[in-house]
Amino acid sequence: MLEGPAGEQGVVVLRDAVAVLGRFPALAGASLEVAEGEVLLLKGPNGAGKTTTLKAITGTLPPARIAGQISYLGQRIDHLPAHALVPQGLAMVPEGRGVFAQLSVDENLRMGAYARADAGIDADREHVFSL
């Protein structure tokens, strides 16, 4: 289990992450902690490692390309693939180019809910559309 400052456990903790994309280091010892209820902003120019950091946390980088320690809700997750994290409530939502362009907005929303097996999906969809 990874701990944050003063022994507090963060919801997401990233310690000493190193990621290599192709021949280039995209992260070199990155660390962060997000506490419950906290909002964290990753800000920087193109190529600063914002997306790579999020992909490392959500398991969408190949494991051979990332090193370091990542925990979610007190459990190490740096060895888990993305599909194992989704049922735990950890996923990365794509922007713009990351959606399925050939699908409608509704179909994209349904794809995002594929891991849910509850009756609330339709109610949640209707709520989102009402916004």
Side-chain angles (χ1 to χ4, degrees):
M1 187 180 304
L2 299 176
E3 292 186 346
E8 295 177 17
Q9 180 63 45
V11 173
V12 175
V13 179
L14 178 73
R15 291 281 178 255
D16 302 320
V18 175
V20 177
L21 301 179
R23 300 183 335 216
F24 304 100
L27 297 177
S31 295
L32 63 83
E33 179 174 351
V34 182
E36 185 173 350
E38 183 176 32
V39 175
L40 176 74
L41 169 72
L42 295 179
K43 180 181 175 185
N46 290 347
K50 303 176 298 291
T51 300
T52 301
T53 299
L54 294 175
K55 285 183 173 186
I57 292 168
T58 58
T60 53
L61 281 179
R65 301 287 182 191
I66 183 82
Q69 297 180 337
I70 306 169
S71 73
Y72 176 63
L73 298 174
Q75 302 297 315
R76 290 280 301 266
I77 61 167
D78 41 83
H79 62 285
L80 297 175
H83 66 84
L85 299 174
V86 172
Q88 296 180 44
L90 186 61
M92 187 167 164
V93 177
E95 65 166 318
R97 301 176 303 265
V99 298
F100 298 105
Q102 70 278 17
L103 300 181
S104 69
V105 170
D106 184 48
E107 289 168 330
N108 270 279
L109 289 173
R110 288 180 184 276
M111 287 293 294
Y114 83 94
R116 287 179 62 184
D118 62 80
I121 293 173
D122 287 335
D124 288 348
R125 246 181 69 256
E126 290 305 317
H127 172 71
V128 168
F129 283 134
S130 73
L131 297 175

